[in-house]
Amino acid sequence: MRTRSLFALLVAAALMLGVFGLASAQDAALSGDLEIFSWWTGGGEEAGLNALIARFKEMYPDVNIINSAVAGGSGVNAKAVLTTRMLGGDPPDTFQVHAGAELNSLWVKAGRMEALNDIYEANGWMEQFPAGLLDLVSDDAGNIYSVPVNIHRSNVMWYVPGKLEEWGVTVPATLDEFVNETCPTLQAAGVIPMAIGENWTQSHLWESVALAVLGVEGYNGLWDGTTNWTSPEALAVWDMYGKVLDCGNEDMNALTWQDASKLVADGAAAFNIMGDWAAGYFLVDLALTPNEGFAWAAAPGTDGVFMMLSDTFGLPKGAPHPENARAWLSFLGSAEAQDIFNPLKGSLPANTTADITNAEKYNAYFQSAYEDWTSNVIVGSQRHGAVAPAAFDSGFLNIIAQFQGDRDSTTAAANAAALAIQTGIGG
Ligand code: GAL
């Protein structure tokens, strides 16, 4: 008995030494740079990224991290810089890219990404990430090309409960209610009904309007070619979107998404439709309490539907420090990293073994988002790369800009139809 337990102890000690020996050998072997490319330069997003970097540095003290974040919400500027670098033979070690068409229609299709299946297998992630999400980062042959750090929701409407009470309005359940009742009441009281920001945030708003007007099937049909972009229903999206824009602040083109969120927090505007990185902004930048300083509802007419997107990181071919990038990616997908990052970022962990049900770590906003994520119908966000190719995205931003000036639904619908045909998603 004694001998056996001594033997067991020795085996355990040897195993531990082996494990630690291996770990420190790995750590010691990693040195040199790790360039991380993203568009997280402010607020909860920057705080989340910095917290990840700090933990990674503890794990790999000899790795020198270069944080090459390029400012600009939803990656409008970063993606242009990335394209130049990738096509010019100067890829970063790892870069942020949305799960879905943004990854697949460009970088995977061009053969520029390394498959990461070995990392998934070594970490047991095939069972830890939702199958539907893995599909969005895989090709038909089963090669997996990036590691999701989160699940964000696009169709969220933000407000301050005490302010709505003061102004005598409630959260509108439909867009008709919003444009016909809520908006005029607020305008009469001198309050901006809908805080709106620069061009890309307008296209963000557009997708929630499209979902409300077309419903799940009609919205999905825009991306698989079964909804005609010039049909009366699609035209009705532009008409309704124009009415929502008319409830917005005149200086919209000059505001970032944070500026627009702040109009709501400050009580200058009643509502804002933005992804739940706004929760990260309210929590981290403005230190507001959920359900007091800010509250949320599904964008009008979209209750029961979760429009998702996921931020992921991949490993480009030709990355100068692939081993460092692999260590970073192995860390990013872990429950530990996801629990460091997401409470600051406003998003849900993508790894299902993370601690999402812990309400101390993930406050009331996250609990509510998680409830919806696990019970709602899921659709993908166009604005944030899930359902339409990158080529559609840039053209669509131009259509949104033109519409913001002329409010011409027929031209917008026709241009969008042409763009859909050109970029291979229907028409
Ligand atoms: C999205 C991204 C979010 C957040 C947002 C605002 O595209 O997925 O993580 O960064 O842009 O910049």
Side-chain angles (χ1 to χ4, degrees):
M1 186 76 182
R2 221 180 134 177
T3 334
R4 265 172 60 194
S5 51
L6 185 64
F7 178 72
L9 262 178
L10 282 175
V11 171
L15 274 174
M16 281 169 74
L17 272 178
V19 168
F20 292 137
L22 185 67
S24 57
Q26 269 176 0
D27 295 1
L30 291 183
S31 61
D33 292 342
L34 168 64
E35 188 192 4
I36 303 169
F37 188 94
S38 78
W39 56 86
W40 292 335
T41 57
E45 357 209 76
E46 185 180 25
L49 177 61
N50 284 343
L52 287 175
I53 290 174
R55 176 68 188 116
F56 186 80
K57 273 184 180 239
E58 280 172 15
M59 295 163 71
Y60 299 97
D62 294 335
V63 173
N64 174 43
I65 295 195
I66 301 168
N67 179 356
S68 295
V70 175
S74 105
V76 279
N77 304 327
K79 287 180 206 169
V81 174
L82 180 70
T83 302
T84 309
R85 289 192 52 179
M86 288 285 283
L87 301 181
D90 176 30
D93 292 311
T94 182
F95 65 86
Q96 177 187 358
V97 60
H98 287 122
E102 186 177 309
L103 168 70
N104 300 319
S105 71
L106 182 54
W107 303 124
V108 172
K109 193 173 173 189
R112 301 280 174 152
M113 304 304 288
E114 296 285 358
L116 304 172
N117 297 52
D118 56 336
I119 296 183
Y120 274 76
E121 273 147 28
N123 289 295
W125 290 348
M126 301 305 290
E127 286 74 45
Q128 295 181 10
F129 285 85
L133 183 56
L134 288 184
D135 281 350
L136 289 180
V137 295
S138 305
D139 66 11
D140 291 343
N143 298 307
I144 311 177
Y145 288 105
S146 70
V147 176
V149 281
N150 64 7
I151 307 285
H152 263 309
R153 185 177 192 178
S154 166
N155 60 323
V156 193
M157 186 164 75
W158 308 94
Y159 62 96
V160 179
K163 287 286 167 190
L164 295 197
E165 237 171 79
E166 193 183 313
W167 299 322
V169 297
T170 52
V171 176
T174 64
L175 285 172
D176 279 329
E177 183 186 342
F178 175 71
V179 297
N180 297 323
E181 295 168 36
T182 324
C183 172
T185 306
L186 289 163
Q187 279 173 333
V191 177
I192 300 162
M194 182 65 73
I196 303 176
E198 60 188 312
N199 177 244
W200 76 262
T201 79
Q202 295 161 28
S203 104
H204 183 106
L205 173 63
W206 186 92
E207 68 184 14
S208 274
V209 173
L211 177 60
V213 173
L214 297 172
V216 168
E217 212 185 313
Y219 174 81
N220 285 337
L222 292 173
W223 319 117
D224 67 15
T226 56
T227 297
N228 186 324
W229 281 83
T230 50
S231 64
E233 296 76 29
L235 213 64
V237 173
W238 290 101
D239 290 343
M240 178 55 87
Y241 172 63
K243 290 181 191 166
V244 178
L245 282 188
D246 290 342
C247 296
N249 40 299
E250 277 179 11
D251 60 351
M252 57 183 76
N253 288 336
L255 303 191
T256 65
W257 70 265
Q258 291 96 332
D259 296 334
S261 299
K262 193 157 189 301
L263 286 179
V264 174
D266 289 350
F271 300 103
N272 171 233
I273 292 178
M274 186 39 61
D276 46 12
W277 41 93
Y281 173 72
F282 291 136
L283 292 166
V284 174
D285 287 63
L286 305 186
L288 300 176
T289 306
N291 285 319
E292 283 176 39
F294 74 99
W296 56 90
T302 71
D303 196 30
V305 187
F306 191 111
M307 191 186 285
M308 67 78 66
L309 59 120
S310 171
D311 293 306
T312 78
F313 282 78
L315 172 59
K317 284 192 178 152
H321 310 95
E323 288 317 313
N324 292 349
R326 283 178 175 277
W328 169 251
L329 296 172
S330 288
F331 168 59
L332 275 194
S334 69
E336 182 195 4
Q338 307 232 335
D339 286 335
I340 291 174
F341 179 71
N342 287 296
L344 299 166
K345 183 69 168 75
S347 40
L348 300 172
N351 184 323
T352 57
T353 68
D355 210 8
I356 180 62
T357 54
N358 178 345
E360 280 178 21
K361 208 173 275 174
Y362 290 97
N363 67 34
Y365 174 69
F366 300 92
Q367 297 308 317
S368 145
Y370 184 60
E371 166 75 33
D372 288 349
W373 167 244
T374 49
S375 60
N376 282 191
V377 176
I378 311 290
V379 300
S381 159
Q382 177 272 319
R383 173 64 234 142
H384 305 283
V387 287
F392 180 88
D393 183 50
S394 41
F396 196 65
L397 286 176
N398 292 334
I399 296 172
I400 286 284
Q402 190 179 335
F403 185 82
Q404 203 268 326
D406 65 18
R407 298 288 205 278
D408 180 345
S409 296
T410 312
T411 302
N415 284 343
L419 181 63
I421 293 166
Q422 282 159 20
T423 54
I425 57 170

